[in-house]
Amino acid sequence: MKHSIRIAGIVFLLALVSLTNTALAYEPYETLHVVNCDQWVSLRENPSTSSKCIMQLPLGAMVSYICDAGDFLQVSYSGTKGYVGRKYLKATGDADYVKMYVANCEEWVSLWEEETTDSTRLAKIPIGAQVLSHGRQDDEGTLALVVYDYRFGYVLPEYLSLLPPKQDECVLQSAVLHVPDKNGKDFVQTISDENQLKAIEAMLRASTPCVSGQCPYQAQLVLTLCNGDTLRLMYPTDGCTAFFTTDGSVYTFTEVASDQFWAIFDEAAQKIW
């Protein structure tokens, strides 16, 4: 394990390898991400660009691979099957990370060499420091794999925050929710009101790591931070309180916060109509 982490670290530091159109073999039901588009790609009935668009899949959306169809892949998105151009899909890998921040501690947290707190401590990461999180490496994992100061290691996920340290001003610039309507089109709701953004910020800061259920993660929440970063979250549309980050990590709101979240966007939807 130590050796593999060192190798991964060297690769990470030397370059970010670009995906080509070379055919890649995926495992059945492997999770893929929508990439290489500005906002969305079409989920089509058949493997052809002339085929009917069933719905629009937003950038960053997670789909489940079913089978290969040449230049297209058959996938499932929250129970809806269809075809997406191969070049718009990428498997979860080393390039899938989320910028996160050390929080919920007094001064620092430990960066562990292996996926256990019984391993060697590589460094002390100060509160507020930024790391690149690759999430838990499997369903049984209890620590998150991160990169800090050009080193791979593991951190307890409860000490990681999706947002930078709290400031006097709101750290969010905007929040955009993409939800497919009954016709499969992308319905967009944008929040720019500072008080509402502060409420969303408070919910995110209070969210906690969890394990996902069988919720339909059809909505995508795109948060633009004041520091220029973008945070993409896959959000359920059936009242579930858990949501995914693009590194595969799962967090949950309290039920009260989840109700408040939807109330904010329901108000935005009413303004649209």
Side-chain angles (χ1 to χ4, degrees), residues 143-154:
L143 278 71
L145 177 63
V146 303
V147 177
Y148 172 69
D149 193 23
Y150 304 102
R151 285 182 290 184
F152 276 86
Y154 293 88

Side-chain angles (χ1 to χ4, degrees), residues 143-174:
L143 278 71
L145 177 63
V146 303
V147 177
Y148 172 69
D149 193 23
Y150 304 102
R151 285 182 290 184
F152 276 86
Y154 293 88
V155 172
L156 287 165
E158 55 264 36
Y159 294 125
L160 297 177
S161 172
L162 295 167
L163 300 177
K166 192 172 182 179
Q167 304 167 10
D168 292 336
E169 301 295 328
C170 182
V171 301
L172 297 178
Q173 188 176 85
S174 67

Side-chain angles (χ1 to χ4, degrees), residues 19-113:
L19 289 178
T20 67
N21 290 328
T22 305
L24 298 174
Y26 298 118
E27 295 294 327
Y29 306 109
E30 182 176 353
T31 298
L32 308 180
H33 288 153
V34 172
V35 296
N36 301 328
C37 63
D38 292 331
Q39 295 183 337
W40 55 267
V41 296
S42 295
L43 180 69
R44 301 186 181 277
E45 282 189 345
N46 297 296
S48 168
T49 54
S50 61
S51 179
K52 179 183 176 181
C53 174
I54 301 173
M55 66 170 60
Q56 297 172 345
L57 306 185
L59 176 66
M62 293 184 291
V63 301
S64 181
Y65 169 75
I66 298 175
C67 68
D68 195 299
D71 290 336
F72 286 79
L73 299 179
Q74 186 181 31
V75 300
S76 175
Y77 178 64
S78 293
T80 301
K81 295 181 180 180
Y83 295 85
V84 176
R86 177 189 294 276
K87 65 180 180 180
Y88 297 117
L89 296 173
K90 181 174 72 68
T92 300
D94 287 340
D96 294 306
Y97 61 81
V98 174
K99 291 182 180 179
M100 299 190 76
Y101 302 83
V102 171
N104 308 319
C105 63
E106 293 184 0
E107 296 182 21
W108 53 267
V109 297
S110 295
L111 179 70
W112 301 104
E113 184 176 20

Side-chain angles (χ1 to χ4, degrees), residues 197-225:
L197 289 173
K198 284 182 177 179
I200 294 173
E201 176 184 341
M203 296 178 211
L204 290 169
R205 291 192 185 283
S207 64
T208 55
C210 73
V211 178
S212 67
Q214 300 299 315
C215 303
Y217 292 95
Q218 294 180 313
Q220 180 176 193
L221 178 63
V222 181
L223 301 170
T224 300
L225 280 61

